[in-house]
Amino acid sequence: MELFTVHIFSSDHPVYEGPCLSLTVPIGDGLYGILAHHSNMIAAVIPGEMTIRVPDREPATIAVSDGLVKVEDNEVMLLVESAERPEDIDLHRSELRAAQAREKLLQKSSIQEHRLAEATLARAMNRLRVKHRYSGL
């Protein structure tokens, strides 16, 4: 299988840069698979599970939040607010954030605050789903 170059960055640190066999990214239409020589494109990333296959390693699943993915000339750039491997997800913190977001949604608030609470809840629920699925909880 042919390789392509991938650059994955979260808002606070680089996640991975190097050769890649395949990448599956959550976008609005579902999971989007990328292989070598993929056509050029730009898409919005939504909270979900990203899977990356790199040479000589097992496929890795990463919980990602909102962001963008750009494919151009056999190179992929993925910019997301957060990206966490299952072993790096703090279960207690994610449960607490989900509970706080649910409480905020029940309060009367501005549209902006309501949307922020929805986004926070989506990120927390995604972290919990990834943590439970891939860490045997």
Side-chain angles (χ1 to χ4, degrees), residues 48-63:
E49 296 177 25
M50 178 183 76
T51 304
I52 183 169
R53 290 183 53 222
V54 298
D56 302 323
R57 291 192 203 161
E58 290 293 315
T61 298
I62 300 171

Side-chain angles (χ1 to χ4, degrees), residues 4-131:
F4 59 96
T5 303
V6 67
H7 307 275
I8 303 171
F9 299 101
S10 73
S11 62
D12 59 349
H13 69 284
V15 177
Y16 177 77
E17 291 187 81
C20 184
L21 293 164
S22 70
L23 184 66
T24 305
V25 181
I27 64 170
D29 294 337
L31 291 175
Y32 195 81
I34 301 169
L35 296 171
H37 307 294
H38 192 285
S39 60
N40 294 348
M41 56 139 305
I42 295 176
V45 176
I46 63 170
E49 296 177 25
M50 178 183 76
T51 304
I52 183 169
R53 290 183 53 222
V54 298
D56 302 323
R57 291 192 203 161
E58 290 293 315
T61 298
I62 300 171
V64 295
S65 63
D66 296 321
L68 291 171
V69 61
K70 178 182 99 167
V71 180
E72 185 176 37
D73 299 329
N74 212 35
E75 195 164 324
V76 175
M77 175 147 329
L78 183 86
L79 306 170
V80 291
E81 186 177 327
S82 67
E84 298 170 286
R85 290 180 167 83
E87 59 271 17
D88 297 332
I89 295 172
D90 183 336
L91 186 62
H92 178 69
R93 187 179 125 226
S94 297
E95 289 171 342
L96 181 62
R97 291 261 171 94
Q100 290 170 340
R102 284 188 190 102
E103 181 64 33
K104 189 74 171 170
L105 286 171
L106 295 174
Q107 299 172 3
K108 289 189 177 187
S109 57
S110 70
I111 292 172
Q112 183 178 4
E113 289 172 330
H114 186 79
R115 288 187 180 147
L116 180 61
E118 285 178 330
T120 301
L121 180 58
R123 284 191 303 273
M125 295 305 296
N126 181 53
R127 286 183 181 118
L128 291 169
R129 183 175 48 253
V130 170
K131 182 72 172 179

